[in-house]
Amino acid sequence: MNFFKRAWLNLTAKKGRSILLILVTSAIMLFVLAGLLIRNAADTATNNAKQSVGATVTLSANREAAFKKMRSSTSTSKTSRPKLTTSPVKLSDAAKIAKLNNVASCTATVSTSANATGFDAISTSGSSDSNGGGMKGMGGSTTSSGDIAISGVTSTSATSAFENSSSKITKGRGITTADEGTNNVVIESELAKEDSLKVGDSIKLKATTGTKKTYTLKVVGIYKASSSTSTQQGPGATDPANSVYTSYTFANTVKGAKYKNTADSVTFNVSDPAKVSSVKTAGKALINTSKYSLTTDDSSYQTVKASMANVKSFADKIVWLVAIAGTIILALIVILMIRERRYEIGVLLSLGEARWKIVAQFFTEMVMVLIVSIAIAGAGGKFVGNQLGQQLVSQQTTTATTTSSTSTQQGPGGSGAPGSSGTGSVSAQKQAELDINVSVMDLVELGGFGLAIMFLSIMLASGGILRLQPKKVLID
Amino acid sequence: MLKANDIGYWYDRQENSLFEHVNLEFKSGHSYAIVGQSGSGKTTFLSLLAGLDKPRAGQIELNGEPINQLGLTNYRKSHVAIVFQSYNLFTYMSPLNNLLTAMAVTSSSHKGDKKFAMDMLQTLGITDEQMTKNVQKLSGGQQQRVAIARTMVCDAKLVVADEPTGNLDEENTQYVIEQFQKIAHEQHKCVIIVTHEPDVAAACDYAYRLAKHEFTLEA
């Protein structure tokens, strides 16, 4: 194995050439590593998105079927005005779906409204007067007409508004499952300020339907809705500051006795977004699809996934382009090196050295250069990868945001109710950040690429060695 | 030891052959000079003996075995040591590493024996300081001594030299001639030297002249 020693002697004797080789190889390795890092980071981001962005399946009334039913009744009954009748979701049905595989948790939502009694609701120019204002929206409910929008939930932290931080608890606490059966309420900070309400105070709400009973609620928390949520309302909607959160049981009580153990909708959180379709299919088998519908929402995951797929695809292109260009560049360098060292090769051949050992000497020299280059690339790869990766991500996020904003714009009459705004893109942007770090595995992968590049370039150049005749070099 | 059996060589056409039907025998413990005009084919003949090329006709035998059967690479590795006019040393190595490398490549019986290589260099007038310097920092004469030392540390029984004194002054020429005679007579090797110089040819035991495509033994 004398070729190892020869390779080492050659590299150390010709320092200038060795440094140039190291610089060229380092540049190639740096870009290959940057590509690998971005690719791996995109993979990790996509996997993280699976874990944290999540996806949901929502069980709610089948409005399409209800409309069909309404139209058919219109054709048969000309005397009375047709009425859209939807069935509230039975919690017993929801419980069956909650037991399916991949369903991590579920949250029920009941929307209704009531009139403020003993305190003033926030009045805006877009909304009607405080008594019997035209409240609409609230997740599709059509039963409300009060000035306070009540969002009955299982837990505030499970609602999209709180999940994506467009609403935050500033004082006290949010609604939890422990609040089931209680009259606890979480109110908006502007409403609290306007009426000098604080945690521990009581407010009164008067139902707008049925017995029109007045309920006393205890303020257990105050939340702050972001300005973007506050401004997302159309004409006819009550001010978002008039939105309060209670447990879904209280909202059902306000709606009436027949709504006990029901919900407007139940949202199931699916642990693996890739399984959304299978959960939906399995769920449909458990419900009466003429009454209820199951809709899926994995837009956040899809946004991140698409964004990361683009980044990964670009990173793959970088890796392959640099690898191919690097192979060609190094092959040319080795070819030139072989031409320069043909006398040395001739002497080795005249001494009876096997040609493969001469090729092995060149390969060993390049591997020694590669080891130093990988160390240099390892030191600089994180920086280059970060710069390149964040540039790519910012481009991808801009595209994703544009797409999301188009799909989440609300039209006139849209709800100002909490949690109703489409803010999936916010979480998507959060997840679409690359965490670029150089690990040992990255360096091993880079080493593999480097070896392949070196092997190919030496093979491309070794034709010169294999064809070389010692007589022609040394005597002719 | 080495026998040229009816060998011939030509480049493009046989009619323009450099030589044909050459039958010569070279024995261990003797030195041979091959002289002749430039372009007569002396060096080509030497390259055939060294296993750097193959004859177009006939065959070369080493101890009765055709060198083609041994394999030219193996033949060069185990049986031949070559000295060139332009030294052809490894320019990125020291004289000592040149010798150690040659010993390793040819699997010499002294492979890895640093002291043996140093003694050989010392014998040929290379100082301890010069031994570890880059070989290119030595004079032409010193480099040729290193090249000769390289042939001496290897086990090859056949030493071929192509114009080994072509780049040397008179004093170094005389020194190199003496060394080749020692290799032949003291190490009992077969030394074949291609030369233009009458002094070198005169110092050898036999001298063949290549002229008009034929070899003739000179008196």
Side-chain angles (χ1 to χ4, degrees):
Chain A
M1 295 297 162
N2 181 254
F3 61 83
F4 280 114
K5 187 183 173 186
R6 292 202 305 267
W8 174 252
L9 287 173
N10 190 276
L11 282 177
T12 50
K14 296 182 177 176
K15 290 188 180 68
R17 197 199 62 188
S18 302
I19 289 169
L20 273 175
L21 264 177
I22 287 170
L23 288 177
V24 172
T25 314
S26 296
I28 294 167
M29 290 297 106
L30 198 63
F31 282 101
V32 172
L33 180 63
L36 289 174
L37 290 178
I38 295 167
R39 195 182 67 175
N40 292 347
D43 268 343
T44 311
T46 310
N47 287 334
N48 287 346
K50 272 186 186 176
Q51 303 297 319
S52 57
V53 174
T56 57
V57 174
T58 303
L59 175 65
S60 57
N62 189 339
R63 289 174 60 79
E64 201 178 327
F67 271 113
K68 269 186 188 169
K69 198 175 174 185
M70 181 185 81
R71 285 190 198 105
S72 64
S73 67
T74 310
S75 59
T76 54
S77 169
K78 307 275 183 186
T79 53
S80 61
R81 194 178 169 188
K83 195 175 174 185
L84 181 70
T85 311
T86 56
S87 305
V89 173
K90 286 182 184 169
L91 291 179
S92 54
D93 287 338
K96 290 179 199 166
I97 296 174
K99 286 177 186 167
L100 290 173
N101 285 340
N102 297 307
V103 175
S105 62
C106 68
T107 177
T109 307
V110 178
S111 299
T112 186
S113 70
N115 284 324
T117 305
F119 71 101
D120 294 325
I122 305 290
S123 177
T124 59
S125 57
S127 65
S128 57
D129 62 49
S130 60
N131 291 317
M135 178 62 195
K136 292 179 182 175
M138 298 302 294
S141 172
T142 56
T143 59
S144 58
S145 57
D147 50 13
I148 297 293
I150 300 170
S151 190
V153 295
T154 311
S155 158
T156 45
S157 60
T159 62
S160 59
F162 283 89
E163 268 190 340
N164 63 37
S165 302
S166 61
S167 292
K168 281 178 185 167
I169 297 289
T170 53
K171 284 175 186 166
R173 61 172 180 83
I175 297 294
T176 65
T177 49
D179 291 309
E180 277 182 28
T182 68
N183 287 5
N184 292 338
V185 66
V186 173
I187 62 173
E188 213 279 331
S189 59
E190 292 299 329
L191 181 69
K193 199 186 286 178
E194 196 63 27
D195 291 298
S196 303
L197 293 169
K198 55 185 185 300
V199 174
D201 287 352
S202 293
I203 58 169
K204 284 182 179 173
L205 291 177
K206 187 177 182 182
T208 56
T209 55
T211 58
K212 299 194 176 179
K213 191 180 168 185
T214 299
Y215 299 92
T216 303
L217 294 94
K218 186 184 175 189
V219 178
V220 294
I222 294 172
Y223 75 95
K224 170 88 180 159
S226 70
S227 56
S228 62
T229 308
S230 309
T231 56
Q232 284 174 350
Q233 60 170 330
T238 187
D239 192 278
N242 292 329
S243 300
V244 301
Y245 286 97
T246 66
S247 81
Y248 72 94
T249 52
F250 174 77
N252 277 339
T253 309
V254 172
K255 283 173 86 174
K258 66 174 181 177
Y259 289 96
K260 194 176 180 186
N261 291 325
T262 65
D264 290 346
S265 64
V266 178
T267 303
F268 303 93
N269 292 312
V270 181
S271 53
D272 181 356
K275 304 284 183 192
V276 160
S277 296
S278 62
V279 169
K280 185 181 175 183
T281 309
K284 271 188 170 178
L286 301 172
I287 59 167
N288 179 353
T289 50
S290 64
K291 277 186 173 180
Y292 306 123
S293 71
L294 273 174
T295 53
T296 58
D297 180 14
D298 60 350
S299 56
S300 296
Y301 169 67
Q302 293 300 342
T303 305
V304 174
K305 195 177 156 189
S307 168
M308 288 301 112
N310 284 341
V311 171
K312 192 181 165 187
S313 157
F314 193 81
D316 271 338
K317 286 187 184 100
I318 291 176
V319 170
W320 287 111
L321 278 176
V322 175
I324 292 166
T327 305
I328 293 167
I329 291 167
L330 285 174
L332 289 173
I333 290 173
V334 176
I335 288 168
L336 288 173
M337 213 163 79
I338 286 169
R339 286 176 71 88
E340 180 203 317
R341 293 168 66 180
R342 55 205 295 270
Y343 276 96
E344 178 195 341
I345 297 166
V347 175
L348 284 167
L349 289 173
S350 75
L351 285 171
E353 183 67 307
R355 287 171 196 269
W356 75 264
K357 285 187 180 173
I358 299 172
V359 175
Q361 179 188 338
F362 281 88
F363 185 66
T364 308
E365 285 176 22
M366 296 306 282
V367 169
M368 287 175 180
V369 166
L370 179 68
I371 290 167
V372 180
S373 301
I374 285 174
I376 294 170
K382 185 178 160 69
F383 175 75
V384 175
N386 259 323
Q387 295 295 317
L388 203 57
Q390 296 315 332
Q391 180 65 32
L392 282 172
V393 169
S394 71
Q395 282 174 359
Q396 291 305 320
T397 308
T398 307
T399 312
T401 310
T402 310
T403 314
S404 303
S405 63
T406 310
S407 61
T408 57
Q409 278 168 359
Q410 295 182 336
S415 171
S420 62
S421 64
T423 49
S425 63
V426 177
S427 58
Q429 285 174 50
K430 276 186 181 175
Q431 295 304 323
E433 285 173 1
L434 293 180
D435 182 19
I436 292 175
N437 280 309
V438 183
S439 68
V440 176
M441 279 312 293
D442 291 326
L443 292 179
V444 169
E445 197 175 358
L446 179 68
F449 258 94
L451 277 177
I453 290 173
M454 292 301 175
F455 182 77
L456 280 175
S457 25
I458 294 290
M459 284 299 113
L460 285 172
S462 64
I465 298 172
L466 299 174
R467 281 199 308 273
L468 211 59
Q469 293 300 321
K471 177 176 176 266
K472 284 190 176 158
V473 177
L474 302 171
I475 295 175
D476 289 356
Chain B
M1 181 196 177
L2 193 70
K3 213 171 175 181
N5 273 341
D6 204 29
I7 63 168
Y9 193 90
W10 55 88
Y11 284 102
D12 45 0
R13 284 183 300 178
Q14 192 172 357
E15 302 90 84
N16 299 332
S17 65
L18 291 171
F19 44 81
E20 272 190 283
H21 308 296
V22 177
N23 290 287
L24 291 175
E25 192 172 357
F26 303 94
K27 291 180 178 170
S28 297
H30 295 282
S31 60
Y32 299 85
I34 295 170
V35 295
Q37 287 186 326
S38 294
S40 59
K42 307 183 295 291
T43 299
T44 301
F45 181 70
L46 192 78
S47 71
L48 299 181
L49 298 180
L52 295 172
D53 204 353
K54 291 175 187 170
R56 298 293 170 106
Q59 62 183 20
I60 296 163
E61 290 176 5
L62 178 76
N63 299 324
E65 191 179 359
I67 61 171
N68 282 347
Q69 282 181 17
L70 287 168
L72 291 187
T73 302
N74 189 40
Y75 170 70
R76 289 197 302 266
K77 182 176 178 175
S78 307
H79 304 285
V80 189
I82 312 170
V83 178
F84 302 92
Q85 182 178 357
S86 52
Y87 329 127
N88 286 333
L89 297 167
F90 298 110
T91 53
Y92 57 89
M93 292 183 194
S94 64
L96 182 61
N97 276 327
N98 262 279
L99 265 62
L100 291 171
T101 299
M103 287 156 76
V105 171
T106 60
S107 302
S108 154
S109 55
H110 295 285
K111 183 180 171 182
D113 192 342
K114 202 170 167 181
K115 191 176 177 304
F116 178 74
M118 288 171 80
D119 289 346
M120 196 60 77
L121 284 167
Q122 252 171 357
T123 308
L124 288 164
I126 305 296
T127 64
D128 285 357
E129 194 190 344
Q130 288 168 332
M131 277 178 211
T132 49
K133 269 187 187 175
N134 184 282
V135 77
Q136 284 184 304
K137 289 182 179 164
L138 304 183
S139 69
Q142 287 167 331
Q143 286 190 47
Q144 194 60 295
R145 289 177 199 205
V146 175
I148 293 168
R150 187 169 66 181
T151 67
M152 292 165 82
V153 293
C154 298
D155 295 340
K157 291 289 178 191
L158 175 65
V159 175
V160 297
D162 183 28
E163 304 279 7
T165 55
N167 290 336
L168 304 181
D169 58 25
E170 206 173 316
E171 190 185 339
N172 276 308
T173 298
Q174 196 53 46
Y175 187 84
V176 167
I177 290 169
E178 283 170 20
Q179 293 309 317
F180 277 119
Q181 296 315 310
K182 278 186 186 174
I183 292 170
H185 301 138
E186 291 175 17
Q187 294 191 358
H188 205 67
K189 291 182 179 181
C190 174
V191 176
I192 305 168
I193 305 169
V194 164
T195 183
H196 271 114
E197 296 180 45
D199 289 351
V200 177
C204 291
D205 301 332
Y206 302 94
Y208 287 102
R209 177 167 293 278
L210 176 57
K212 295 178 183 173
H213 318 295
E214 283 184 2
F215 284 87
T216 50
L217 183 62
E218 290 202 328

